[in-house]
Each structure stands twice: as structure tokens, then as C-alpha cells.
Amino acid sequence: MTPPADVAGLLRALPEGTRRGRAHGRAYVASKSTFNGGRSIKLVAEQLGGPDYISLNFYLLESGPRLFPCEMTADKVIAFLRTFIPDRTPGEVNN
């Protein structure tokens, strides 16, 4: 799907690697990986102590940006991106 205009910036602003953070008042551990000179981004996040899971792939193609949620709705991953605030330091990611 073609994502809303803010999605690319939200993904780029997230720190590379794995860190804790919060979204929707819940704690998550999120891992971001960037590939192909920044044209591909993979994000996976798991709620700590809960069942929620987020997974997406984002591509900057010649035809424009594309968002591919993994087995969930685009609305769910977009809402997560708009509310996720990573901790300032990576910290311990094991729960």
C-alpha cells in the first residue's frame, strides 16, 4: 500500500537496532533494520508482558513509497509508528 506521507519520516526517525519504548501506554521492544542504502526498512516490535506484535516492511521504490504490514492491518502498524517513543538509550532488551 502507499502509506500516508508521515510514515517514511517516522520510520527514518527511529533509531537503528533494538531498543525499548512505549506506544499506546504499553512497553515494547522494537528492532529496526535498514537495507539497500536506506531504501528498505524492516521493523518488528513485541509488547513486553503482553500479546501485541508489530511487523512491517517499508520500501522506497521508483514508483513511490510502499508499506507492507506482515499479517496485520496497515492501520495497526501506522498507529504504532505514530505513537511509539523509543527510550533514549538502548538499555537491556531481555525481559
Coordinates of all heavy atoms in Angstrom, one line a residue:
M1 N 0.8 -1.2 0.0 CA 0.0 0.0 0.0 C 0.9 1.2 0.0 O 2.0 1.2 0.5 CB -0.9 0.0 1.2 CG -0.3 0.4 2.5 SD -1.3 1.0 3.9 CE -1.8 2.6 3.3
T2 N 0.4 2.3 -0.6 CA 1.0 3.6 -0.5 C 0.7 4.2 0.9 O -0.5 4.4 1.2 CB 0.5 4.5 -1.6 OG1 0.8 3.9 -2.8 CG2 1.2 5.9 -1.5
P3 N 1.7 4.4 1.7 CA 1.5 4.9 3.1 C 1.2 6.4 3.2 O 1.5 7.1 2.2 CB 2.8 4.6 3.8 CG 3.8 4.7 2.7 CD 3.1 4.2 1.5
P4 N 0.6 6.8 4.3 CA 0.4 8.3 4.5 C 1.8 8.9 4.4 O 2.8 8.3 4.7 CB -0.2 8.4 5.9 CG -0.8 7.0 6.1 CD 0.0 6.0 5.4
A5 N 1.8 10.2 4.2 CA 3.0 11.0 4.0 C 4.0 10.9 5.2 O 5.2 11.0 5.0 CB 2.7 12.4 3.6
D6 N 3.5 10.8 6.4 CA 4.3 10.9 7.6 C 5.1 9.6 7.9 O 6.0 9.6 8.6 CB 3.6 11.3 8.8 CG 2.4 10.4 9.2 OD1 1.9 9.6 8.3 OD2 2.0 10.4 10.3
V7 N 4.7 8.5 7.3 CA 5.2 7.1 7.6 C 6.7 7.1 7.4 O 7.5 6.6 8.2 CB 4.5 6.0 6.9 CG1 5.2 4.7 7.1 CG2 3.1 5.9 7.6
A8 N 7.2 7.5 6.2 CA 8.6 7.4 5.9 C 9.5 8.2 6.9 O 10.5 7.6 7.4 CB 8.9 8.0 4.5
G9 N 9.1 9.4 7.3 CA 9.8 10.1 8.3 C 9.8 9.5 9.6 O 10.8 9.5 10.4
L10 N 8.6 8.9 10.0 CA 8.5 8.3 11.3 C 9.5 7.1 11.4 O 10.2 6.9 12.4 CB 7.1 7.8 11.6 CG 6.1 8.9 11.8 CD1 4.7 8.3 11.8 CD2 6.3 9.6 13.1
L11 N 9.6 6.3 10.3 CA 10.5 5.2 10.3 C 11.9 5.6 10.3 O 12.8 5.0 11.0 CB 10.2 4.3 9.1 CG 9.0 3.3 9.2 CD1 8.6 2.8 7.9 CD2 9.4 2.2 10.2
R12 N 12.3 6.6 9.5 CA 13.6 7.1 9.5 C 14.1 7.7 10.8 O 15.2 7.6 11.2 CB 13.8 8.2 8.4 CG 13.9 7.6 7.0 CD 14.3 8.7 6.0 NE 14.0 8.3 4.7 CZ 13.0 8.7 4.0 NH1 12.2 9.7 4.5 NH2 12.8 8.3 2.8
A13 N 13.2 8.2 11.5 CA 13.5 8.9 12.8 C 13.8 7.8 13.9 O 14.4 8.1 14.9 CB 12.4 9.8 13.3
L14 N 13.3 6.6 13.8 CA 13.5 5.6 14.8 C 15.0 5.2 14.7 O 15.6 5.0 13.6 CB 12.6 4.3 14.5 CG 11.2 4.5 14.8 CD1 10.4 3.3 14.4 CD2 10.9 4.9 16.2
P15 N 15.6 4.9 15.9 CA 17.0 4.5 15.9 C 17.2 3.1 15.3 O 16.3 2.2 15.4 CB 17.4 4.5 17.4 CG 16.1 4.8 18.1 CD 15.0 5.1 17.2
E16 N 18.3 2.9 14.7 CA 18.6 1.6 14.1 C 18.9 0.7 15.3 O 19.4 1.1 16.3 CB 19.9 1.8 13.3 CG 20.3 0.5 12.5 CD 19.4 0.3 11.2 OE1 18.7 1.3 10.8 OE2 19.5 -0.8 10.7
G17 N 18.6 -0.6 15.1 CA 18.9 -1.6 16.2 C 17.7 -1.9 17.0 O 16.6 -1.6 16.7
T18 N 18.0 -2.4 18.2 CA 16.9 -2.9 19.1 C 16.9 -2.0 20.4 O 18.0 -1.7 21.0 CB 17.2 -4.3 19.5 OG1 17.2 -5.1 18.3 CG2 16.1 -4.9 20.4
R19 N 15.7 -1.6 20.7 CA 15.6 -0.8 22.0 C 14.1 -0.9 22.5 O 13.2 -1.2 21.8 CB 16.1 0.6 21.9 CG 15.3 1.5 21.0 CD 15.8 2.9 21.0 NE 17.2 2.9 20.5 CZ 18.1 3.7 21.0 NH1 17.8 4.6 21.9 NH2 19.3 3.7 20.6
R20 N 14.0 -0.6 23.8 CA 12.7 -0.5 24.4 C 12.0 0.9 24.1 O 12.7 1.8 23.7 CB 12.8 -0.6 25.9 CG 13.1 -2.0 26.3 CD 13.2 -2.1 27.8 NE 13.7 -3.4 28.2 CZ 13.1 -4.2 29.1 NH1 12.0 -3.7 29.7 NH2 13.6 -5.3 29.4
G21 N 10.7 0.9 24.2 CA 10.0 2.1 24.1 C 8.5 1.9 24.5 O 8.2 0.9 25.0
R22 N 7.7 3.0 24.2 CA 6.3 2.9 24.6 C 5.4 3.3 23.5 O 5.7 4.3 22.7 CB 6.0 3.8 25.8 CG 6.8 3.3 27.1 CD 6.4 3.9 28.3 NE 5.1 3.5 28.8 CZ 4.8 2.4 29.3 NH1 5.7 1.5 29.5 NH2 3.6 2.1 29.8
A23 N 4.3 2.7 23.3 CA 3.2 3.0 22.4 C 1.9 2.7 23.0 O 1.8 1.6 23.6 CB 3.4 2.3 21.1
H24 N 0.9 3.6 22.9 CA -0.4 3.3 23.4 C -0.4 3.0 24.9 O -1.2 2.2 25.4 CB -1.1 2.2 22.7 CG -1.2 2.4 21.2 ND1 -1.9 3.4 20.6 CD2 -0.6 1.7 20.2 CE1 -1.8 3.3 19.3 NE2 -0.9 2.3 19.0
G25 N 0.6 3.5 25.7 CA 0.7 3.3 27.1 C 1.3 1.9 27.5 O 1.2 1.5 28.6
R26 N 1.8 1.2 26.5 CA 2.4 -0.1 26.7 C 3.8 -0.1 26.4 O 4.3 0.6 25.5 CB 1.6 -1.2 25.9 CG 0.1 -1.3 26.3 CD -0.6 -2.2 25.4 NE -0.7 -1.6 24.1 CZ -1.6 -2.0 23.2 NH1 -2.4 -3.0 23.4 NH2 -1.8 -1.4 22.0
A27 N 4.6 -1.0 27.1 CA 6.0 -1.1 26.8 C 6.3 -2.1 25.7 O 5.6 -3.2 25.6 CB 6.7 -1.6 28.1
Y28 N 7.2 -1.8 24.8 CA 7.6 -2.7 23.7 C 9.1 -2.8 23.6 O 9.8 -1.9 24.0 CB 7.1 -2.1 22.4 CG 5.6 -2.2 22.1 CD1 4.7 -1.2 22.7 CD2 5.1 -3.2 21.4 CE1 3.4 -1.3 22.5 CE2 3.7 -3.3 21.1 CZ 2.9 -2.3 21.7 OH 1.5 -2.4 21.5
V29 N 9.6 -3.8 22.9 CA 10.9 -3.9 22.5 C 10.8 -3.9 20.9 O 10.1 -4.7 20.4 CB 11.7 -5.1 23.0 CG1 11.1 -6.4 22.7 CG2 13.2 -5.0 22.6
A30 N 11.5 -3.0 20.3 CA 11.4 -2.8 18.8 C 12.8 -3.0 18.2 O 13.8 -2.5 18.8 CB 10.8 -1.5 18.5
S31 N 12.9 -3.6 17.0 CA 14.1 -3.8 16.3 C 13.9 -3.2 14.9 O 13.0 -3.6 14.2 CB 14.5 -5.2 16.2 OG 14.8 -5.7 17.4
K32 N 14.8 -2.3 14.5 CA 14.7 -1.7 13.2 C 16.0 -2.0 12.4 O 17.1 -1.9 13.0 CB 14.6 -0.2 13.3 CG 14.7 0.5 11.9 CD 14.7 2.0 12.1 CE 15.2 2.7 10.9 NZ 15.4 4.2 11.1
S33 N 15.8 -2.5 11.2 CA 17.0 -2.8 10.3 C 16.8 -2.0 9.0 O 15.7 -2.0 8.5 CB 17.1 -4.3 10.0 OG 17.2 -5.0 11.2
T34 N 17.8 -1.4 8.5 CA 17.8 -0.7 7.3 C 18.7 -1.3 6.3 O 19.8 -1.7 6.6 CB 18.2 0.8 7.5 OG1 17.4 1.4 8.5 CG2 18.1 1.6 6.2
F35 N 18.2 -1.4 5.0 CA 18.9 -2.1 4.0 C 18.9 -1.3 2.7 O 18.2 -0.3 2.6 CB 18.2 -3.5 3.6 CG 18.0 -4.3 4.8 CD1 16.8 -4.3 5.5 CD2 19.0 -5.2 5.2 CE1 16.6 -5.2 6.6 CE2 18.8 -6.0 6.3 CZ 17.6 -6.0 7.0
N36 N 19.7 -1.6 1.7 CA 19.7 -1.0 0.4 C 19.9 0.5 0.4 O 19.2 1.2 -0.2 CB 18.5 -1.4 -0.4 CG 18.3 -2.9 -0.6 OD1 19.2 -3.6 -0.8 ND2 17.1 -3.3 -0.3
G37 N 20.9 0.9 1.2 CA 21.2 2.3 1.3 C 20.0 3.2 1.8 O 19.9 4.3 1.5
G38 N 19.2 2.6 2.7 CA 18.1 3.3 3.3 C 16.8 3.2 2.5 O 15.8 3.7 2.9
R39 N 16.8 2.4 1.4 CA 15.6 2.3 0.6 C 14.6 1.2 1.1 O 13.5 1.1 0.7 CB 15.9 2.0 -0.8 CG 16.6 3.3 -1.4 CD 16.9 3.0 -2.9 NE 17.5 1.6 -3.0 CZ 18.2 1.2 -4.0 NH1 18.4 2.0 -5.0 NH2 18.6 0.0 -4.0
S40 N 15.1 0.4 2.1 CA 14.3 -0.7 2.7 C 14.4 -0.7 4.2 O 15.6 -0.6 4.7 CB 14.7 -2.1 2.2 OG 14.7 -2.2 0.8
I41 N 13.3 -0.8 4.9 CA 13.3 -0.8 6.4 C 12.4 -1.9 6.8 O 11.3 -2.1 6.3 CB 12.8 0.6 6.9 CG1 13.8 1.7 6.5 CG2 12.8 0.5 8.5 CD1 13.3 3.1 6.8
K42 N 12.9 -2.7 7.8 CA 12.2 -3.7 8.5 C 12.0 -3.3 9.9 O 13.0 -2.9 10.6 CB 12.9 -5.0 8.4 CG 12.3 -6.1 9.3 CD 11.6 -7.1 8.5 CE 11.0 -8.2 9.4 NZ 9.7 -8.5 9.1
L43 N 10.8 -3.4 10.5 CA 10.6 -3.1 11.9 C 9.7 -4.2 12.5 O 8.7 -4.6 11.9 CB 9.8 -1.7 12.0 CG 9.5 -1.3 13.5 CD1 10.8 -0.9 14.2 CD2 8.5 -0.2 13.5
V44 N 10.2 -4.7 13.6 CA 9.5 -5.7 14.4 C 9.4 -5.2 15.8 O 10.4 -4.7 16.4 CB 10.2 -7.0 14.3 CG1 9.5 -8.1 15.2 CG2 10.2 -7.6 12.9
A45 N 8.2 -5.2 16.4 CA 8.1 -4.8 17.8 C 7.2 -5.8 18.6 O 6.2 -6.3 18.0 CB 7.5 -3.4 17.9
E46 N 7.6 -6.1 19.8 CA 6.8 -7.0 20.7 C 6.5 -6.3 21.9 O 7.3 -5.7 22.6 CB 7.6 -8.3 21.0 CG 7.8 -9.2 19.8 CD 8.5 -10.5 20.2 OE1 7.9 -11.2 21.0 OE2 9.7 -10.7 19.8
Q47 N 5.2 -6.4 22.3 CA 4.8 -5.9 23.6 C 5.4 -6.7 24.7 O 5.4 -7.9 24.7 CB 3.3 -5.9 23.7 CG 2.8 -5.3 25.0 CD 1.3 -5.4 25.2 OE1 0.6 -5.9 24.3 NE2 0.8 -5.0 26.3
L48 N 6.0 -6.0 25.7 CA 6.6 -6.6 26.9 C 5.5 -7.0 27.8 O 4.7 -6.2 28.3 CB 7.7 -5.7 27.5 CG 8.9 -5.4 26.7 CD1 9.8 -4.4 27.3 CD2 9.7 -6.7 26.4
G49 N 5.4 -8.3 28.2 CA 4.4 -8.7 29.1 C 3.0 -8.8 28.6 O 2.1 -8.8 29.3
G50 N 2.9 -8.7 27.2 CA 1.6 -8.8 26.6 C 1.6 -9.4 25.2 O 2.7 -9.8 24.7
P51 N 0.5 -9.5 24.6 CA 0.4 -10.3 23.4 C 0.6 -9.5 22.1 O 0.7 -10.1 21.0 CB -1.1 -10.8 23.4 CG -1.8 -9.7 24.1 CD -0.8 -9.2 25.1
D52 N 0.8 -8.2 22.1 CA 0.8 -7.4 20.9 C 2.1 -7.6 20.2 O 3.2 -7.7 20.8 CB 0.6 -5.9 21.2 CG 0.1 -5.2 19.9 OD1 -0.4 -5.8 19.0 OD2 0.3 -3.9 19.9
Y53 N 2.0 -7.5 18.8 CA 3.1 -7.8 17.9 C 3.0 -6.9 16.7 O 1.9 -6.8 16.2 CB 3.2 -9.2 17.5 CG 4.4 -9.6 16.7 CD1 5.6 -9.8 17.2 CD2 4.2 -9.7 15.3 CE1 6.7 -10.1 16.4 CE2 5.3 -10.1 14.5 CZ 6.5 -10.3 15.0 OH 7.6 -10.6 14.2
I54 N 4.0 -6.2 16.3 CA 4.0 -5.4 15.1 C 5.1 -5.8 14.2 O 6.3 -6.1 14.6 CB 4.3 -3.9 15.5 CG1 3.3 -3.4 16.5 CG2 4.3 -3.0 14.2 CD1 1.9 -3.3 16.0
S55 N 4.9 -5.9 12.9 CA 5.9 -6.3 11.9 C 5.6 -5.6 10.6 O 4.4 -5.7 10.1 CB 5.9 -7.8 11.8 OG 6.9 -8.2 10.8
L56 N 6.6 -5.0 10.0 CA 6.3 -4.3 8.7 C 7.6 -4.2 7.9 O 8.7 -4.3 8.4 CB 5.8 -2.9 8.9 CG 6.7 -1.9 9.6 CD1 7.5 -1.1 8.6 CD2 5.9 -1.0 10.5
N57 N 7.4 -4.1 6.6 CA 8.5 -3.8 5.7 C 8.1 -2.5 4.9 O 6.9 -2.3 4.6 CB 8.7 -4.9 4.7 CG 9.3 -6.1 5.3 OD1 10.4 -6.1 5.8 ND2 8.5 -7.2 5.4
F58 N 9.1 -1.6 4.7 CA 8.8 -0.4 4.0 C 9.9 -0.3 2.9 O 11.1 -0.5 3.1 CB 9.0 0.8 5.0 CG 8.9 2.1 4.4 CD1 7.6 2.7 4.1 CD2 10.0 2.9 4.0 CE1 7.5 3.9 3.6 CE2 9.9 4.1 3.4 CZ 8.6 4.6 3.2
Y59 N 9.4 0.1 1.7 CA 10.3 0.2 0.6 C 10.1 1.6 -0.1 O 9.0 2.0 -0.3 CB 10.0 -0.9 -0.5 CG 10.1 -2.2 0.1 CD1 9.0 -2.9 0.5 CD2 11.3 -2.9 0.3 CE1 9.0 -4.2 1.0 CE2 11.4 -4.1 0.8 CZ 10.3 -4.8 1.2 OH 10.4 -6.1 1.7
L60 N 11.2 2.2 -0.5 CA 11.2 3.4 -1.3 C 11.5 3.0 -2.7 O 12.6 2.7 -3.1 CB 12.3 4.4 -0.8 CG 11.9 5.2 0.4 CD1 13.1 6.0 0.9 CD2 10.7 6.0 0.3
L61 N 10.5 2.9 -3.5 CA 10.6 2.4 -4.9 C 10.6 3.6 -5.9 O 10.2 4.7 -5.5 CB 9.4 1.5 -5.2 CG 9.2 0.3 -4.3 CD1 7.9 -0.5 -4.6 CD2 10.4 -0.6 -4.3
E62 N 11.0 3.3 -7.1 CA 10.9 4.4 -8.1 C 9.5 4.9 -8.3 O 9.3 6.1 -8.5 CB 11.4 3.9 -9.4 CG 12.9 3.8 -9.4 CD 13.5 3.4 -10.8 OE1 12.8 3.7 -11.8 OE2 14.6 2.8 -10.9
S63 N 8.5 4.0 -8.1 CA 7.1 4.4 -8.2 C 6.5 5.1 -7.0 O 5.4 5.5 -6.9 CB 6.3 3.2 -8.6 OG 6.4 2.2 -7.6
G64 N 7.3 5.1 -5.9 CA 6.9 5.8 -4.7 C 7.1 4.8 -3.5 O 7.4 3.7 -3.6
P65 N 6.8 5.3 -2.3 CA 6.9 4.5 -1.1 C 5.8 3.4 -1.0 O 4.7 3.7 -1.4 CB 6.8 5.5 0.1 CG 6.1 6.7 -0.5 CD 6.4 6.7 -1.9
R66 N 6.2 2.3 -0.4 CA 5.3 1.2 -0.2 C 5.4 0.7 1.2 O 6.6 0.5 1.7 CB 5.5 0.1 -1.2 CG 5.2 0.5 -2.6 CD 3.7 0.7 -2.9 NE 3.5 1.1 -4.3 CZ 3.4 2.3 -4.8 NH1 3.7 3.3 -4.0 NH2 3.2 2.5 -6.0
L67 N 4.3 0.4 1.9 CA 4.3 -0.2 3.2 C 3.6 -1.5 3.1 O 2.5 -1.7 2.5 CB 3.5 0.7 4.1 CG 3.3 0.2 5.6 CD1 4.6 0.2 6.3 CD2 2.3 1.1 6.3
F68 N 4.3 -2.5 3.7 CA 3.8 -3.9 3.7 C 3.7 -4.4 5.1 O 4.7 -4.9 5.6 CB 4.7 -4.8 2.8 CG 4.6 -4.5 1.4 CD1 5.6 -3.7 0.8 CD2 3.6 -5.0 0.6 CE1 5.6 -3.3 -0.5 CE2 3.6 -4.6 -0.8 CZ 4.6 -3.8 -1.3
P69 N 2.6 -4.3 5.8 CA 2.5 -4.9 7.1 C 2.5 -6.4 7.0 O 2.1 -7.0 5.9 CB 1.1 -4.5 7.5 CG 0.7 -3.3 6.7 CD 1.4 -3.6 5.4
C70 N 3.0 -7.1 8.0 CA 3.1 -8.5 7.9 C 2.0 -9.2 8.8 O 2.0 -9.1 10.0 CB 4.5 -9.0 8.5 SG 5.9 -8.3 7.5
E71 N 1.0 -9.7 8.1 CA -0.1 -10.4 8.7 C -0.9 -9.5 9.7 O -1.3 -10.0 10.8 CB 0.3 -11.7 9.3 CG 0.9 -12.6 8.2 CD 1.3 -14.0 8.8 OE1 0.7 -14.4 9.8 OE2 2.1 -14.6 8.1
M72 N -1.1 -8.2 9.4 CA -1.9 -7.3 10.3 C -2.3 -6.2 9.4 O -1.8 -6.0 8.3 CB -1.1 -6.9 11.5 CG 0.1 -6.1 11.2 SD 1.3 -5.9 12.6 CE 1.7 -7.6 12.9
T73 N -3.2 -5.4 9.9 CA -3.7 -4.3 9.1 C -2.6 -3.1 9.0 O -1.8 -2.9 9.9 CB -5.0 -3.7 9.6 OG1 -4.7 -3.1 10.9 CG2 -6.0 -4.8 9.8
A74 N -2.7 -2.4 7.9 CA -1.9 -1.2 7.8 C -2.2 -0.2 8.9 O -1.3 0.5 9.4 CB -2.0 -0.6 6.4
D75 N -3.5 0.0 9.2 CA -3.9 0.9 10.3 C -3.2 0.6 11.6 O -2.8 1.5 12.3 CB -5.4 0.8 10.5 CG -6.2 1.5 9.3 OD1 -5.6 2.3 8.6 OD2 -7.4 1.2 9.2
K76 N -3.0 -0.7 11.9 CA -2.4 -1.1 13.2 C -0.9 -0.6 13.2 O -0.5 0.0 14.1 CB -2.5 -2.6 13.4 CG -1.8 -3.0 14.6 CD -2.0 -4.5 14.9 CE -1.2 -4.9 16.1 NZ -1.5 -6.3 16.5
V77 N -0.2 -0.9 12.1 CA 1.2 -0.5 12.1 C 1.4 1.0 12.0 O 2.3 1.6 12.6 CB 2.0 -1.2 11.0 CG1 2.0 -2.7 11.2 CG2 1.6 -0.9 9.6
I78 N 0.5 1.7 11.3 CA 0.6 3.2 11.2 C 0.3 3.8 12.6 O 1.0 4.7 13.0 CB -0.3 3.7 10.1 CG1 0.2 3.3 8.8 CG2 -0.4 5.2 10.2 CD1 -0.8 3.5 7.6
A79 N -0.7 3.3 13.3 CA -1.0 3.8 14.6 C 0.2 3.5 15.6 O 0.5 4.4 16.4 CB -2.2 3.1 15.2
F80 N 0.9 2.4 15.4 CA 2.0 2.1 16.3 C 3.1 3.1 16.0 O 3.7 3.7 16.9 CB 2.5 0.7 16.0 CG 3.8 0.4 16.8 CD1 3.7 0.0 18.1 CD2 5.0 0.5 16.2 CE1 4.9 -0.3 18.9 CE2 6.2 0.2 16.9 CZ 6.1 -0.2 18.3
L81 N 3.4 3.3 14.7 CA 4.5 4.3 14.3 C 4.2 5.7 14.8 O 5.2 6.4 15.2 CB 4.7 4.3 12.8 CG 5.3 3.0 12.2 CD1 5.2 3.1 10.7 CD2 6.7 2.9 12.6
R82 N 3.0 6.1 14.8 CA 2.6 7.4 15.2 C 2.7 7.6 16.7 O 2.7 8.8 17.2 CB 1.2 7.8 14.7 CG 1.3 8.0 13.2 CD -0.1 8.3 12.7 NE 0.0 8.7 11.2 CZ -1.1 8.7 10.4 NH1 -2.3 8.4 10.9 NH2 -0.9 9.1 9.2
T83 N 2.7 6.5 17.5 CA 2.7 6.7 19.0 C 3.9 6.1 19.6 O 4.2 6.4 20.8 CB 1.5 6.0 19.6 OG1 1.5 4.6 19.2 CG2 0.2 6.6 19.1
F84 N 4.8 5.3 18.9 CA 5.9 4.7 19.5 C 7.0 5.8 19.9 O 7.4 6.6 19.0 CB 6.5 3.7 18.6 CG 7.7 2.9 19.3 CD1 7.5 2.1 20.3 CD2 9.0 3.1 18.8 CE1 8.6 1.4 20.9 CE2 10.1 2.5 19.4 CZ 9.9 1.6 20.4
I85 N 7.4 5.8 21.1 CA 8.5 6.7 21.6 C 9.6 5.8 22.1 O 9.4 5.1 23.2 CB 8.0 7.7 22.6 CG1 6.9 8.5 22.1 CG2 9.2 8.5 23.1 CD1 6.2 9.4 23.1
P86 N 10.8 5.7 21.4 CA 11.8 4.8 21.9 C 12.5 5.5 23.1 O 12.5 6.7 23.3 CB 12.8 4.8 20.7 CG 12.5 5.9 19.9 CD 11.1 6.3 20.1
D87 N 13.0 4.6 24.0 CA 13.8 5.1 25.2 C 15.0 5.7 24.6 O 15.5 5.4 23.5 CB 14.2 3.9 26.1 CG 13.0 3.3 26.8 OD1 11.9 3.9 26.8 OD2 13.1 2.2 27.4
R88 N 15.6 6.6 25.4 CA 16.7 7.4 24.9 C 18.0 6.5 24.8 O 18.8 6.8 24.0 CB 17.0 8.5 25.9 CG 16.0 9.6 25.8 CD 16.3 10.8 26.8 NE 15.3 11.8 26.7 CZ 15.5 12.9 26.1 NH1 16.7 13.2 25.5 NH2 14.6 13.8 26.1
T89 N 18.1 5.5 25.6 CA 19.3 4.6 25.5 C 18.8 3.2 25.2 O 17.7 2.8 25.6 CB 20.1 4.6 26.8 OG1 19.2 4.2 27.8 CG2 20.7 6.0 27.1
P90 N 19.6 2.4 24.5 CA 19.1 1.1 24.1 C 18.8 0.2 25.4 O 17.7 -0.4 25.4 CB 20.3 0.5 23.4 CG 21.0 1.6 22.9 CD 20.8 2.7 23.9
G91 N 19.5 0.3 26.4 CA 19.2 -0.5 27.6 C 19.2 -2.0 27.4 O 19.4 -2.5 26.3
E92 N 18.8 -2.7 28.4 CA 18.6 -4.1 28.4 C 17.3 -4.5 27.7 O 16.3 -3.9 28.0 CB 18.6 -4.7 29.8 CG 18.5 -6.1 29.9 CD 19.6 -6.9 29.3 OE1 20.8 -6.5 29.5 OE2 19.4 -7.9 28.6
V93 N 17.4 -5.4 26.7 CA 16.2 -5.7 26.0 C 15.6 -7.1 26.4 O 14.6 -7.5 25.9 CB 16.4 -5.6 24.4 CG1 16.7 -4.2 24.0 CG2 17.5 -6.6 24.0
N94 N 16.2 -7.8 27.2 CA 15.7 -9.1 27.7 C 14.6 -8.8 28.8 O 14.8 -8.0 29.7 CB 16.8 -10.0 28.3 CG 17.8 -10.4 27.2 OD1 17.4 -10.6 26.1 ND2 19.0 -10.4 27.6
N95 N 13.5 -9.5 28.8 CA 12.5 -9.3 29.8 C 12.5 -10.4 30.8 O 13.1 -11.4 30.8 CB 11.1 -9.1 29.3 CG 10.7 -10.1 28.3 OD1 11.4 -11.0 27.9 ND2 9.4 -10.0 27.9

